[in-house]
Amino acid sequence: MLLPASAAIGDARGMRAIRSSDPGVLRSASEGLCYLYVLPCAYEDLLKLGFSRGPLGRIQALQARFFEFFDLDLAFLVETETVGDARKLELDLRHRLSDYNAPAPLTANAQAGGHSEWYRGAYRALAEEAVRLQAVGHTVHRPLRAWLGRQLAAQGDDLYDRSAALMTQLQGDVSLLDQPGLRTLRRKLLDSLDAHAALGVELEPRLPEALLAWYRASGWRD
C-alpha cells in the first residue's frame, strides 16, 4: 500500500506527532518562571549557556538526540521568577566567560540559533555559580536528567493523542513508516521515542499498541 501524496504525515502537522508539545501560552513573554540552562556536551569540554521558558523544547531544538549529545547528569537549570531575571543572569555570565567563548559544534542544529553562547572549559565556574545561586534562594535542577524525564512523562496524554493522529494518517498501517519516502519522519519519530526510553519514561501506556510494537522492532532502522 502506497501512502497518498496528499497525506500530511511528512509535513509540519505530521511532525507534531513526534515532538513534545510547546509550553502553554502565558499571560506575558516576561511573566512566570524562566530557566538559565547549562548544557555540557557528553564527549568534549564544551557547553551551551542560555535561558528559556521551556527548556525541554529548547534542548530538543538544539539537538534531536539531546539525550546522547549532552551530558544530562552534569547539565542543570537555575530557576528564576521572570525572563528578565534569567536574562540578567545569562548576560552577567557571558561577560565573565568571554575568554572561554568557542564556536558552536557542527553537530548542533544551526537553525536553533544561539551560536555565540558556546563555551569551552567553563563548566567548573558555572557549577560553582550554581551552588552560589542556590545558597541565595534559587532552585537549581541538577542533574537535569530527572527533571527532563518528569517533563516528558507529564506529556503522556499529548503523546498518545498525537501518535493516534499519526496512526489515522497511516490508515493503521505502521509498515508505511518504513517506506524510503518517509525516512525523515521515521528518523524524527525514532529520535523522540528514544528520548523517552533514555530518560526512563515508560512508553507502553503512551503509544497505540501497533506503534509501540513497531518501535520495539526498530533496532535495525536508520
Side-chain angles (χ1 to χ4, degrees), residues 40-53:
C41 292
Y43 300 110
E44 60 177 315
D45 187 11
L46 188 67
L47 63 83
K48 177 72 173 73
L49 174 68
F51 66 92
S52 175
R53 295 292 301 276

Side-chain angles (χ1 to χ4, degrees), residues 14 16-19 155-170 172 174 177 189 192-193 196 203 206-212:
R16 293 185 194 132
I18 48 81
R19 296 189 62 186
Q155 297 178 3
D157 290 343
D158 182 69
L159 176 63
Y160 189 94
D161 291 344
R162 292 170 185 268
S163 298
L166 176 61
M167 289 296 296
T168 297
Q169 293 175 330
L170 292 168
V174 292
L177 288 169
L189 177 58
S192 178
L193 299 182
H196 285 74
L203 284 170
R206 295 176 170 87
L207 289 180
E209 185 176 346
L211 190 57
L212 179 63

Side-chain angles (χ1 to χ4, degrees), residues 53-70:
R53 295 292 301 276
L56 173 58
R58 178 60 177 151
I59 295 169
Q60 290 172 316
L62 287 166
Q63 229 290 340
R65 297 190 70 81
F66 66 91
F67 47 92
E68 296 172 340
F69 185 77
F70 294 115

Side-chain angles (χ1 to χ4, degrees), residues 37 77 107 213:
Y37 59 78
L77 302 175
T107 47

Side-chain angles (χ1 to χ4, degrees), residues 122-146:
Y123 180 78
R124 181 176 178 179
L126 287 168
E128 291 174 352
E129 181 66 11
V131 172
R132 186 192 71 79
L133 290 169
Q134 189 168 27
V136 298
H138 285 278
T139 297
V140 176
H141 301 280
R142 181 171 54 178
L144 190 53
R145 181 181 301 277

